[in-house]
């Protein structure tokens, strides 16, 4: 059964990992049983356009007067006007400093935690106010963190491999294994699969057989494996700090824009708290907020029932609006998760009991949403949702039958040949599936 995706937050001490984790965890929505699992693990919320937003009133699959957004009731997370927050597991991987692969800091313990992650978010202190060990300073160049952190991961994997390289080679020859088989035996501990290893080797197009690989070749293999196994989003955090701009400019020159997200985790934590306390209206990740004064100005004499802020708080909120929300288009933390989900190719699937009403037999529509990796089949999703129960058939919107081995993705046959309802989203696509249990 496919595991739920897990996103690891990495970065040197004091870069803002815990703050980022907290900012993503405390959604104002119904949190259900999931909040914090332990100090290192938590459930964050990935924002996606919800399936319900595709069914306004009097639309092809919703002839009623009521848009489905009005009936959408997620079991976990939330759906606000078609903007859905789907739970996703996060891991705060603390204790990484230069030299970790040799046991510095929390060293190998840190690296062992990393094995379970499917994608990484590298939280970088872009203010330059902490050195490589996380101690307070001024004018540190944060682009160095991006380099050394990656190199720690590569050297850790390479170190583990080289330690046993002699015996790995001997066994490889003795059992006449393929390079993929031999490497997969070594990399399975990182949660790798043969497909991942095969993709790495395909990319490298190596000519020599494994037993003749030089140290340099092995390093290339490990680098390729690191790219495949740990796709990484770089969160340039603390953009609210005055020193951040010049560092952002420098990093932007040497990294593809798609790998970078600008964040102010502390601002998101602050805004969510104020919203919870009833001082402002703010939806996680938005680029604006509303105060009591704003709403009065808009003609609501009650100010939306929001509380009055004192002058000090008002000034803080105004500054945050100017320095973060307007300037950068938001605090960026929600985008961090979306970007990681994109790298992983996560596809949101909405399993429903009834493919015409989209209900689950309890009056709620689109109650469930599961995230699966790109390449998962209808059968994979079924087993994830229903376990071992025998499958009779699967329908999608309009009662259209789909096959168990159909890939839940815009596939090689093009969209029109796929009989799923395809929702174009920030992620790749979303599907609505209705499973029928029983023998076919
Ligand atoms: N200015 C600013 N400070 C931040 C931000 N995020 C975190 N911090 C501060 O940086 C320090 C370290 O944060 P923390 O989350 O504990 O870092 P960790 O060691 O990586 O978990 C704390 O004092 C935070 O308040 C941010 O977005 N802006
Ligand atoms: Mg921490």
């Amino acid at each position: 059964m496919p595991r739920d995706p897990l996103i690891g937050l990495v970065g040197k001490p004091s870069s803002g990992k815990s703050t980022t984790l907290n900012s993503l965890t405390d959604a104002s929505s119904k949190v259900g049983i999931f909040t914090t699992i332990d100090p290192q693990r938590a459930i964050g919320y990935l924002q996606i356009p919800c399936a319900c937003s595709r069914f306004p009133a009097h639309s092809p699959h919703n002839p009623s007067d009521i848009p489905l957004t009005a009936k959408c009731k997620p079991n976990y997370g939330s759906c606000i006007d078609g903007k859905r927050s789907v739970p996703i597991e996060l891991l705060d991987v603390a204790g990484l400093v230069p030299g970790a692969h040799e046991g510095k800091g929390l060293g190998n313990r840190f690296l062992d935690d990393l094995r379970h992650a499917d994608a990484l978010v590298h939280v970088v202190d872009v203010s330059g106010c902490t050195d490589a060990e996380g101690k307070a300073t001024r004018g540190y160049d944060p682009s160095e963190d991006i380099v050394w952190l990656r190199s720690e991961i590569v050297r850790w994997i390479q170190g583990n491999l080289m330690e046993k390289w002699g015996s790995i080679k001997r066994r490889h020859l003795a059992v006449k294994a393929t390079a993929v088989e031999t490497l997969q035996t070594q990399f399975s501990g990182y949660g790798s699969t043969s497909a991942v290893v095969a993709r790495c080797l395909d990319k490298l197009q190596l000519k020599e057989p494994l037993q003749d690989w030089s140290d340099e070749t092995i390093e290339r293999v490990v680098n390729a494996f690191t790219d495949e196994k740990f796709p990484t989003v770089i969160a340039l955090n603390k953009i609210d700090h005055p020193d951040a701009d010049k560092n952002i400019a420098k990093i932007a020159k040497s990294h593809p824009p798609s790998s970078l997200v600008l964040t102010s985790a502390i601002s998101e934590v602050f805004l969510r708290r104020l919203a919870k306390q009833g001082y402002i209206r703010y939806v996680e990740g938005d680029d604006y907020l509303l105060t009591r004064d704003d709403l009065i100005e808009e003609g609501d004499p009650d100010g939306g029932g929001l509380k009055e802020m004192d002058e000090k708080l008002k000034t803080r909120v105004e500054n945050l609006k100017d320095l973060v929300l307007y300037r950068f288009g938001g605090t960026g933390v929600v985008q961090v998760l979306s970007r990681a989900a994109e790298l992983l190719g996560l596809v949101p699937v909405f399993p429903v009991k009834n493919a015409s009403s989209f209900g689950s037999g309890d009056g709620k529509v689109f109650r469930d949403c599961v995230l699966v990796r790109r390449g998962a089949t209808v059968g994979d999703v079924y087993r994830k949702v229903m376990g071992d129960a025998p499958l009779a058939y699967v329908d999608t919107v309009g009662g259209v039958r789909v096959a168990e081995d159909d890939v839940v993705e815009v596939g090689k046959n093009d969209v029109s040949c796929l009989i799923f309802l395809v929702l174009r989203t920030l992620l790749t696509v979303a599907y609505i599936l209705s499973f029928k249990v029983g023998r076919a």
Side-chain angles (χ1 to χ4, degrees), residues 11-20 92 123 237-241 263-267:
K12 70 187 180 187
S14 292
S15 60
K17 296 178 295 299
S18 300
T19 311
T20 302
D92 180 344
V123 181
N237 188 38
K238 311 195 188 180
I239 53 170
D240 52 278
H241 192 281
T263 65
S264 175
I266 210 165
S267 303

Side-chain angles (χ1 to χ4, degrees), residues 98-422:
H101 75 282
E102 296 166 328
K104 291 226 179 77
L106 294 178
N108 291 325
R109 181 139 69 87
F110 151 83
L111 291 162
D112 274 342
D113 277 349
L114 203 73
R115 288 177 196 274
H116 310 291
D118 297 300
L120 303 180
V121 172
H122 180 185
V123 181
V124 174
D125 177 351
V126 81
S127 73
C129 292
T130 46
D131 66 14
E133 257 91 38
K135 294 194 193 69
T137 182
R138 204 69 198 266
Y140 176 81
D141 178 358
S143 65
E144 289 182 18
D145 291 342
I146 301 175
V147 176
W148 73 249
L149 187 132
R150 155 89 190 189
S151 126
E152 283 301 329
I153 297 174
V154 171
R155 284 157 83 181
W156 164 59
I157 298 172
Q158 198 175 346
N160 291 343
L161 197 61
M162 293 315 283
E163 227 169 62
K164 297 176 281 179
W165 191 246
S167 61
I168 293 170
K169 266 197 302 202
R170 277 193 298 280
R171 188 172 178 282
H172 176 75
L173 289 171
V175 304
K176 298 193 172 63
T178 64
V180 170
E181 284 162 353
T182 295
L183 283 180
Q184 172 54 16
T185 310
Q186 298 307 314
F187 289 160
S188 63
Y190 308 98
S192 172
T193 60
S194 300
V196 168
V197 175
R199 267 204 303 277
C200 295
L201 293 181
D202 266 0
K203 273 189 198 153
L204 293 173
Q205 294 286 318
L206 301 172
K207 298 278 182 293
E208 326 86 53
L210 181 136
Q211 64 273 17
D212 297 339
W213 286 356
S214 64
D215 286 2
E216 196 204 336
T217 303
I218 296 171
E219 189 175 340
R220 282 177 64 207
V221 170
V222 172
N223 261 298
F225 175 68
T226 307
D227 286 340
E228 279 285 334
K229 181 60 207 358
F230 300 113
T232 304
V233 179
I234 299 169
L236 301 179
N237 188 38
K238 311 195 188 180
I239 53 170
D240 52 278
H241 192 281
D243 291 355
D245 282 10
K246 64 174 197 307
N247 295 326
I248 294 170
K250 180 172 176 195
I251 292 169
K253 276 193 201 130
S254 50
H255 290 82
S258 62
S259 69
L260 304 175
V261 180
L262 305 178
T263 65
S264 175
I266 210 165
S267 303
E268 182 74 16
V269 168
F270 180 60
L271 292 177
R272 288 190 186 194
R273 196 167 59 223
L274 287 188
K276 218 175 205 169
Q277 292 169 345
Y279 285 111
I280 59 167
R281 253 189 219 165
Y282 173 71
V283 176
E284 295 91 20
D286 270 358
D287 58 358
Y288 70 97
L289 58 86
L290 292 170
T291 62
R292 179 181 168 82
D293 293 348
D294 294 332
L295 291 166
I296 291 173
E297 212 168 283
E298 283 177 14
D300 176 356
D302 186 36
L306 290 175
K307 288 191 221 160
E308 184 77 54
M309 293 187 275
D310 63 23
E311 284 311 311
K312 206 172 137 209
L313 195 53
K314 264 187 200 166
T315 314
R316 246 186 108 182
V317 168
E318 281 311 310
N319 280 341
L320 197 156
K321 253 160 101 172
D322 290 342
L323 282 175
V324 178
L325 296 188
Y326 295 160
R327 220 161 147 245
F328 294 102
T331 67
V333 292
V334 168
Q335 214 189 330
V336 164
L337 275 195
S338 311
R339 199 60 69 73
E342 255 169 65
L343 282 183
L344 276 175
L346 291 185
V347 179
V349 181
F350 297 84
V352 295
K353 277 222 175 86
N354 186 315
S356 333
S357 69
F358 311 118
S360 299
D362 53 5
K364 297 174 173 179
V365 307
F366 299 123
R367 197 182 69 177
D368 302 303
C369 176
V370 294
L371 300 169
V372 298
R373 295 286 296 262
R374 185 168 29 221
T377 63
V378 169
D380 291 336
V381 179
Y382 176 79
R383 283 180 288 279
K384 187 175 166 125
V385 178
M386 309 293 283
D388 293 335
L391 170 66
Y393 59 89
V394 185
D395 281 344
T396 184
V397 180
V400 177
R401 196 63 47 96
V402 292
E404 193 177 338
D405 55 4
D406 275 348
V407 170
V408 185
E409 190 183 23
V410 178
K412 41 198 176 305
N413 307 329
D414 191 43
V415 186
S416 63
C417 296
L418 275 176
I419 34 189
F420 296 108
L421 172 86
V422 177

